[in-house]
Amino acid sequence: MRTIIILILTLCMATATFAQTATLALKISQKERATVEDAVILFVQVTKGITQVKTEQLIEQGLLPKGVQADTPLTKGILAYMIAKQTGITHSLMFNIFKSKRYAVSACIAAGYLPPNSGEYDPVSGVELLEVLGRLGGE
Amino acid sequence: MKFFNTLLITVVVFAFAASPLFAAITVVSVKGEALYSDGGAFKPLQKGQQLKEGTRIQTGAKSQAVLDIDGHIVTIKQLTLIKVYKNIAKKDESTNSIGLKYGSINAKVKKLPQVKTSFLITTPVATSSVRGTEQNVSFGPGFGMQVTVPEGELLVQSNGENKKVGGNLEYNKGQDDPRSGDLTQGMQNNFIGQMAPGNLTPEEQQMLNQYGDQLVDSTQTPADVLDKAGGAATVNVNLTWPID
């Protein structure tokens, strides 16, 4: 009986969290400026299928640049750093050595995730975030 | 009674057979999560559901929805928002128009005999017109509109500029660009990446795999490279045909 209840609760929770992905995408698409939290939540959904993650955990693991908070406005540098660190792309020799946001942007441009004219401090809108992550997890 | 039932079934069958086309948008499958809105709030999209003209569809992360629009198959990839603007089907005409706000879709458009087919995919920068072929279209503020055509060819129109896309050609037009980019750009990049891999030593191959993109700046065009070249140089080229 206990197992059945746990199973039902787990299924309900899975359905509830899964239903958030499209709603979240709609919500983010309306933002003129995405935040680090938006990027982190959507990124783990796209790459790992995980729906619950805390920004602080990723900062502790060194997967986000130091000094950023969940509500920090997202820049292409921060987004590229997260992508380059998490996916382990080897498209930039300089990023492999220095691990900086600037070279992460170069690595992501070379990998085709960011457009060629991207800069480290460029702001990222909600739709731009969806575009980049759509390419990242695209089939 | 049996005769009446047979007659009724025959009448219904003939009624549908007489008009081979009727506007219909059916959800073939939903993987992950997708939402739709026919004017009101967004609701979960279900397999087998019938949709109306004017419906908007949003897919989530790691999700995909497949629609059957009058026999044409449209696959909506993850994190994409589309709107079905037009869905008209008559006996000798099939007209469909899809607006792609952001994300990417794949459309397989059937060429029906004796039916004038028009299937348009519109983004904020251009419209692609496809008949009897397959196309991948993506749009976003960073990369603009990108169109590839795995099978057949199509016409992309923007600001009075018409480009025929097919084969290995790729249409690219940024949001603020007055004109589309070079259609062969994608092909050139592929050729650079695949240049003579058979003639490389294992060390060179390893170097290329690891730092290949450092050797060729992806923001450079062939014209940029030529502009910087000065003086004469001897280049040995070993062409192998056909390529394995």
mmCIF file of all heavy atoms in Angstrom, chain B residues 197-216:
data_model
loop_
_atom_site.group_PDB
_atom_site.id
_atom_site.type_symbol
_atom_site.label_atom_id
_atom_site.label_comp_id
_atom_site.label_asym_id
_atom_site.label_seq_id
_atom_site.Cartn_x
_atom_site.Cartn_y
_atom_site.Cartn_z
ATOM 1 N N PRO B 197 40.848 14.534 -44.740
ATOM 2 C CA PRO B 197 41.133 13.871 -43.460
ATOM 3 C C PRO B 197 41.982 12.618 -43.632
ATOM 4 O O PRO B 197 42.707 12.230 -42.738
ATOM 5 C CB PRO B 197 39.744 13.522 -42.914
ATOM 6 C CG PRO B 197 38.853 13.495 -44.111
ATOM 7 C CD PRO B 197 39.436 14.448 -45.103
ATOM 8 N N GLY B 198 41.918 12.024 -44.823
ATOM 9 C CA GLY B 198 42.662 10.789 -45.054
ATOM 10 C C GLY B 198 44.165 10.995 -45.110
ATOM 11 O O GLY B 198 44.936 10.057 -44.918
ATOM 12 N N ASN B 199 44.604 12.236 -45.378
ATOM 13 C CA ASN B 199 46.035 12.497 -45.526
ATOM 14 C C ASN B 199 46.693 13.009 -44.251
ATOM 15 O O ASN B 199 47.843 13.408 -44.277
ATOM 16 C CB ASN B 199 46.275 13.508 -46.653
ATOM 17 C CG ASN B 199 45.912 12.897 -47.989
ATOM 18 O OD1 ASN B 199 45.915 11.686 -48.139
ATOM 19 N ND2 ASN B 199 45.566 13.738 -48.945
ATOM 20 N N LEU B 200 45.957 13.050 -43.171
ATOM 21 C CA LEU B 200 46.525 13.577 -41.935
ATOM 22 C C LEU B 200 47.187 12.462 -41.128
ATOM 23 O O LEU B 200 46.714 11.322 -41.132
ATOM 24 C CB LEU B 200 45.434 14.218 -41.071
ATOM 25 C CG LEU B 200 44.680 15.411 -41.674
ATOM 26 C CD1 LEU B 200 43.642 15.911 -40.686
ATOM 27 C CD2 LEU B 200 45.639 16.540 -42.031
ATOM 28 N N THR B 201 48.273 12.820 -40.470
ATOM 29 C CA THR B 201 48.898 11.866 -39.559
ATOM 30 C C THR B 201 48.030 11.787 -38.306
ATOM 31 O O THR B 201 47.225 12.684 -38.059
ATOM 32 C CB THR B 201 50.306 12.351 -39.159
ATOM 33 O OG1 THR B 201 50.153 13.582 -38.437
ATOM 34 C CG2 THR B 201 51.195 12.569 -40.370
ATOM 35 N N PRO B 202 48.175 10.727 -37.506
ATOM 36 C CA PRO B 202 47.366 10.636 -36.277
ATOM 37 C C PRO B 202 47.521 11.864 -35.385
ATOM 38 O O PRO B 202 46.560 12.321 -34.780
ATOM 39 C CB PRO B 202 47.912 9.378 -35.591
ATOM 40 C CG PRO B 202 48.482 8.563 -36.693
ATOM 41 C CD PRO B 202 48.991 9.531 -37.716
ATOM 42 N N GLU B 203 48.753 12.426 -35.325
ATOM 43 C CA GLU B 203 48.983 13.600 -34.486
ATOM 44 C C GLU B 203 48.214 14.808 -35.032
ATOM 45 O O GLU B 203 47.600 15.565 -34.287
ATOM 46 C CB GLU B 203 50.492 13.956 -34.411
ATOM 47 C CG GLU B 203 51.332 12.975 -33.635
ATOM 48 C CD GLU B 203 51.629 11.700 -34.423
ATOM 49 O OE1 GLU B 203 51.540 11.733 -35.663
ATOM 50 O OE2 GLU B 203 51.910 10.660 -33.798
ATOM 51 N N GLU B 204 48.293 14.946 -36.384
ATOM 52 C CA GLU B 204 47.566 16.065 -37.009
ATOM 53 C C GLU B 204 46.060 15.918 -36.817
ATOM 54 O O GLU B 204 45.349 16.879 -36.563
ATOM 55 C CB GLU B 204 47.892 16.123 -38.512
ATOM 56 C CG GLU B 204 49.272 16.643 -38.815
ATOM 57 C CD GLU B 204 49.655 16.457 -40.283
ATOM 58 O OE1 GLU B 204 49.080 15.584 -40.948
ATOM 59 O OE2 GLU B 204 50.526 17.195 -40.740
ATOM 60 N N GLN B 205 45.580 14.683 -36.935
ATOM 61 C CA GLN B 205 44.147 14.416 -36.753
ATOM 62 C C GLN B 205 43.715 14.785 -35.335
ATOM 63 O O GLN B 205 42.677 15.413 -35.118
ATOM 64 C CB GLN B 205 43.861 12.933 -37.018
ATOM 65 C CG GLN B 205 42.386 12.550 -36.976
ATOM 66 C CD GLN B 205 41.598 13.184 -38.101
ATOM 67 O OE1 GLN B 205 41.914 13.001 -39.257
ATOM 68 N NE2 GLN B 205 40.589 13.968 -37.768
ATOM 69 N N GLN B 206 44.566 14.413 -34.361
ATOM 70 C CA GLN B 206 44.259 14.723 -32.968
ATOM 71 C C GLN B 206 44.236 16.235 -32.750
ATOM 72 O O GLN B 206 43.357 16.770 -32.078
ATOM 73 C CB GLN B 206 45.316 14.081 -32.067
ATOM 74 C CG GLN B 206 44.892 14.043 -30.608
ATOM 75 C CD GLN B 206 45.981 13.458 -29.722
ATOM 76 O OE1 GLN B 206 47.018 12.997 -30.219
ATOM 77 N NE2 GLN B 206 45.764 13.490 -28.448
ATOM 78 N N MET B 207 45.208 16.904 -33.343
ATOM 79 C CA MET B 207 45.305 18.370 -33.255
ATOM 80 C C MET B 207 44.050 19.008 -33.876
ATOM 81 O O MET B 207 43.461 19.932 -33.297
ATOM 82 C CB MET B 207 46.557 18.815 -34.022
ATOM 83 C CG MET B 207 46.741 20.298 -34.127
ATOM 84 S SD MET B 207 47.441 20.971 -32.650
ATOM 85 C CE MET B 207 47.601 22.678 -33.136
ATOM 86 N N LEU B 208 43.644 18.475 -35.035
ATOM 87 C CA LEU B 208 42.475 19.032 -35.728
ATOM 88 C C LEU B 208 41.211 18.832 -34.897
ATOM 89 O O LEU B 208 40.382 19.737 -34.766
ATOM 90 C CB LEU B 208 42.311 18.369 -37.103
ATOM 91 C CG LEU B 208 41.197 18.929 -37.981
ATOM 92 C CD1 LEU B 208 41.515 20.338 -38.445
ATOM 93 C CD2 LEU B 208 40.969 18.044 -39.194
ATOM 94 N N ASN B 209 41.077 17.635 -34.319
ATOM 95 C CA ASN B 209 39.903 17.362 -33.496
ATOM 96 C C ASN B 209 39.825 18.291 -32.302
ATOM 97 O O ASN B 209 38.767 18.777 -31.925
ATOM 98 C CB ASN B 209 39.915 15.908 -32.985
ATOM 99 C CG ASN B 209 39.697 14.922 -34.100
ATOM 100 O OD1 ASN B 209 39.203 15.275 -35.155
ATOM 101 N ND2 ASN B 209 40.085 13.684 -33.872
ATOM 102 N N GLN B 210 40.992 18.548 -31.709
ATOM 103 C CA GLN B 210 41.004 19.319 -30.476
ATOM 104 C C GLN B 210 40.932 20.827 -30.717
ATOM 105 O O GLN B 210 40.210 21.528 -30.036
ATOM 106 C CB GLN B 210 42.276 18.984 -29.694
ATOM 107 C CG GLN B 210 42.087 19.164 -28.210
ATOM 108 C CD GLN B 210 43.099 18.343 -27.427
ATOM 109 O OE1 GLN B 210 43.965 17.679 -28.007
ATOM 110 N NE2 GLN B 210 42.991 18.371 -26.134
ATOM 111 N N TYR B 211 41.692 21.282 -31.701
ATOM 112 C CA TYR B 211 41.799 22.734 -31.875
ATOM 113 C C TYR B 211 41.417 23.182 -33.282
ATOM 114 O O TYR B 211 41.811 24.267 -33.709
ATOM 115 C CB TYR B 211 43.234 23.197 -31.587
ATOM 116 C CG TYR B 211 43.739 22.743 -30.244
ATOM 117 C CD1 TYR B 211 44.850 21.921 -30.136
ATOM 118 C CD2 TYR B 211 43.084 23.127 -29.080
ATOM 119 C CE1 TYR B 211 45.299 21.486 -28.906
ATOM 120 C CE2 TYR B 211 43.520 22.695 -27.844
ATOM 121 C CZ TYR B 211 44.636 21.881 -27.763
ATOM 122 O OH TYR B 211 45.063 21.456 -26.551
ATOM 123 N N GLY B 212 40.664 22.350 -33.983
ATOM 124 C CA GLY B 212 40.329 22.648 -35.382
ATOM 125 C C GLY B 212 39.769 24.030 -35.600
ATOM 126 O O GLY B 212 40.144 24.724 -36.540
ATOM 127 N N ASP B 213 38.862 24.444 -34.714
ATOM 128 C CA ASP B 213 38.213 25.723 -34.925
ATOM 129 C C ASP B 213 39.122 26.909 -34.635
ATOM 130 O O ASP B 213 38.808 28.031 -34.980
ATOM 131 C CB ASP B 213 36.949 25.811 -34.076
ATOM 132 C CG ASP B 213 35.861 24.951 -34.686
ATOM 133 O OD1 ASP B 213 36.142 24.336 -35.721
ATOM 134 O OD2 ASP B 213 34.769 24.901 -34.135
ATOM 135 N N GLN B 214 40.237 26.655 -33.956
ATOM 136 C CA GLN B 214 41.187 27.741 -33.734
ATOM 137 C C GLN B 214 41.975 28.032 -35.012
ATOM 138 O O GLN B 214 42.495 29.122 -35.192
ATOM 139 C CB GLN B 214 42.197 27.370 -32.629
ATOM 140 C CG GLN B 214 41.560 27.065 -31.294
ATOM 141 C CD GLN B 214 40.880 28.268 -30.709
ATOM 142 O OE1 GLN B 214 41.440 29.349 -30.714
ATOM 143 N NE2 GLN B 214 39.673 28.097 -30.213
ATOM 144 N N LEU B 215 42.065 26.999 -35.865
ATOM 145 C CA LEU B 215 42.840 27.166 -37.090
ATOM 146 C C LEU B 215 42.086 27.999 -38.105
ATOM 147 O O LEU B 215 42.675 28.702 -38.909
ATOM 148 C CB LEU B 215 43.179 25.793 -37.698
ATOM 149 C CG LEU B 215 43.872 24.816 -36.745
ATOM 150 C CD1 LEU B 215 44.063 23.473 -37.408
ATOM 151 C CD2 LEU B 215 45.224 25.378 -36.316
ATOM 152 N N VAL B 216 40.766 27.904 -38.072
ATOM 153 C CA VAL B 216 39.948 28.693 -38.991
ATOM 154 C C VAL B 216 38.992 29.524 -38.160
ATOM 155 O O VAL B 216 38.173 28.981 -37.441
ATOM 156 C CB VAL B 216 39.146 27.776 -39.942
ATOM 157 C CG1 VAL B 216 38.327 28.614 -40.890
ATOM 158 C CG2 VAL B 216 40.081 26.869 -40.699
#
